[in-house]
Amino acid sequence: MSKRIKKVGITGKFGVRYGSSLRKRAKICMDQKKRKYECPFCGKSNVRWQAIGLWKCKSCEKVMSGGGYTFETPLHCTIKQTLSRTE
């Protein structure tokens, strides 16, 4: 009886190709891209990825710009913290 393998998540479609470290990095990006984010306008968790840099809220139908594969980039978070401290 063989042992069970680890769950690889969304990168299971790659099989054994491309190396484990590249598949792990791709998994992080793909998980961030596929998850739902909170809408800054209506407050619901319905913001989904539409195209590179475009994010759309399913409930209020607003289209927003953001990072390529994450809604808020690390630079955006830094700027938001700086502005909240100066206000």
Side-chain angles (χ1 to χ4, degrees), residues 16-34:
V16 298
R17 297 182 298 273
Y18 311 117
S20 63
S21 60
L22 289 176
R23 287 195 310 269
K24 286 175 190 173
R25 288 170 64 185
K27 183 181 186 313
I28 293 169
C29 292
M30 289 180 184
D31 286 341
Q32 288 176 347
K33 180 180 118 174
K34 291 285 185 180

Side-chain angles (χ1 to χ4, degrees), residues 52-83:
I52 294 179
L54 293 179
W55 298 82
K56 185 176 182 180
C57 179
K58 297 281 184 178
S59 59
C60 65
E61 298 292 322
K62 293 218 184 243
V63 178
M64 297 155 271
S65 65
Y69 298 104
T70 58
F71 183 56
E72 292 182 343
T73 61
L75 181 63
H76 176 260
C77 294
T78 305
I79 291 170
K80 195 161 72 170
Q81 285 178 351
T82 306
L83 289 176

